[in-house]
Amino acid sequence: MGVIDFYGSSFCLIKSNTNLQQVGLSPRPSCSFGRNQKKLVAMASTIPVEQVNKFPQQLTGDSFIREHLRKLSPYQPILPFEVLSSRLGRKPEDIVKLDANENPYGPPPEVLEALGSITFPYVYPDPESRRLRAALAEDSGLESKYILAGCGADELIDLIMRCVLDPGDKIVDCPPTFTMYEFDAAVNGALVIKVPRREDFSLNVEHITEVVKQEKPKCIFLTSPNNPDGSIIDDKVLLKILELPILVVLDEAYIEFSGIESKMSWVKKYENLIVLRTFSKRAGLAGLRVGYGAFPLSIIEYLWRAKQPYNVSVAAEVSACAALQNPTYLEDVKNALVKERGRLFELLKGFSFLRPFPSHSNFILCEVTSGKDAKKLKEDLAQMGVMIRHYDKKELNGYVRVSVGKPEQTDILIKCLQKLS
């Protein structure tokens, strides 16, 4: 790999492992600008204009795109409020949105106050997010030097892959789970080895161990609680996987609803562990995109080098810091959602065509049974202004996922399901 360095009108190709003195070049070649300029002009004048402007007829814009990206299927996100409103012919406030695991209570009031008092929106944000990382250190008990913030945890997932994976490297994915792991792996030219979960959605550790030994993948992505079923990974299982020669990325996007402690502090002990967190669920900041991760010091050094310099906006950092100033609000909202999760689970069990699974998160996965079609169930509810998530992939064909909302949103959902019974 080399560097083309232009000095005025002269240039040289510098190879990374070449001694410049051996090839007769100085680190900063000196030359007569005027003399070389004339030579370059003379050379350029010998090229016919019609050849410069003539491109092969078969050349199209997509021919510049990397081959593996031309075959990539786009990620399918949830439709935003304004699009849903237009399609359904309803006002946004009349839509019961239970399809994206958003926090229906929104952020603490301090967030809106902080956003309204931003003084320097025209100045670039702190590239190190120092204020936010200090607040996160206080909140988590882990020193800020282990913490890196991102534009949502999604950015950090991609950043990890860009730093770790060469094209053709392998990752382990355990479906059904968060589909961004598979998507980002495809974007980065990596191969995905799927180790499906068991029927109860627990990890198949024996199969994972076998795959690591035979295929030698670089990393594995695990989610606890897992999306979309809400199951958690037992500490003993996680420890077994950490014994393997593989980088373990543990996604704790929904950890606050689980009743178990975060594993952020474990990165000080395990060199092959990364833990990801987010403000989207806990603090209701999904629209502002704020995520963070805990990394071993031996890894975080390289992520600092590779990340975009201004990846966390001023608005995002101000909002996250403001949210952390009101832990009572965050705790109350979490407790309200956990309580409503229990109520929703019992109500869903009352329908003969639904089989809900116990969840440690702010959503409930349901198998659609008794001959009902899961996709049609989603569409029928949408026509009533109630949005839920539908799955059609082989691991979850015939399943729907319902986010936990406010009690009044649950009531509307149940009334609509009763009409469809």
Side-chain angles (χ1 to χ4, degrees), residues 149-367:
C151 180
D154 290 353
E155 186 204 12
L156 297 180
I157 293 170
D158 180 66
L159 179 60
I160 291 165
M161 290 194 186
R162 285 192 286 116
C163 289
V164 171
L165 301 175
D166 288 313
D169 280 344
K170 302 170 185 176
I171 74 161
V172 177
D173 191 36
C174 301
T177 192
F178 189 35
T179 53
M180 279 298 294
Y181 311 137
E182 182 179 356
F183 175 78
D184 276 333
V187 170
N188 286 280
L191 303 176
V192 179
I193 304 173
K194 295 188 178 183
V195 181
R197 292 168 178 261
R198 302 182 191 276
E199 288 188 6
D200 63 353
F201 299 107
S202 62
L203 294 173
N204 190 333
V205 181
E206 292 75 17
H207 194 184
I208 291 173
T209 302
E210 181 182 347
V211 163
V212 171
K213 290 180 179 179
Q214 292 183 359
E215 301 293 334
K216 295 179 172 52
K218 273 196 174 179
C219 54
I220 182 171
F221 286 80
L222 304 174
T223 313
S224 183
N226 187 46
N227 177 12
D229 64 278
S231 62
I232 56 176
I233 300 174
D234 184 79
D235 284 3
K236 293 181 180 179
V237 171
L238 181 59
L239 288 170
K240 286 183 180 179
I241 297 175
L242 284 169
E243 291 174 357
L244 301 173
I246 190 170
L247 176 63
V248 179
V249 183
L250 180 65
D251 190 339
E252 293 185 338
Y254 301 93
I255 191 71
E256 290 83 10
F257 307 103
S258 68
I260 62 176
E261 289 188 10
S262 169
K263 302 299 185 294
M264 285 180 65
S265 63
W266 285 27
V267 302
K268 299 173 74 171
K269 181 178 180 181
Y270 297 95
E271 288 282 310
N272 61 328
L273 175 65
I274 292 172
V275 181
L276 301 180
R277 301 279 296 274
T278 179
F279 280 85
S280 296
K281 323 301 178 183
R282 174 193 186 190
L285 296 181
L288 283 159
R289 313 307 301 127
V290 198
Y292 58 102
F295 303 82
L297 296 182
S298 57
I299 292 178
I300 199 171
E301 170 189 354
Y302 298 96
L303 273 74
W304 276 116
R305 298 184 191 182
K307 84 169 187 70
Q308 294 295 318
Y310 306 117
N311 59 327
V312 179
S313 72
V314 171
E317 182 170 15
V318 163
S319 298
C321 290
L324 291 175
Q325 290 175 4
N326 195 341
T328 301
Y329 176 93
L330 300 179
E331 184 71 12
D332 289 345
V333 166
K334 179 204 74 174
N335 291 337
L337 290 171
V338 169
K339 180 180 179 181
E340 189 61 18
R341 179 183 69 196
R343 175 175 173 255
L344 176 62
F345 180 80
E346 293 300 322
L347 289 170
L348 292 174
K349 283 201 306 183
F351 293 92
S352 60
F353 56 88
L354 293 178
R355 180 191 170 206
F357 289 84
S359 173
H360 292 85
S361 192
N362 67 332
F363 52 79
I364 296 176
L365 182 71
C366 298
E367 182 182 9

Side-chain angles (χ1 to χ4, degrees), residues 348-356 366-374 376-377 397-400 417 420-421:
L348 292 174
K349 283 201 306 183
F351 293 92
S352 60
F353 56 88
L354 293 178
R355 180 191 170 206
C366 298
E367 182 182 9
V368 181
T369 63
S370 304
K372 268 197 176 293
D373 182 82
K376 189 175 186 307
L377 176 62
N397 190 23
Y399 285 73
V400 295
L417 286 172
L420 298 174
S421 297

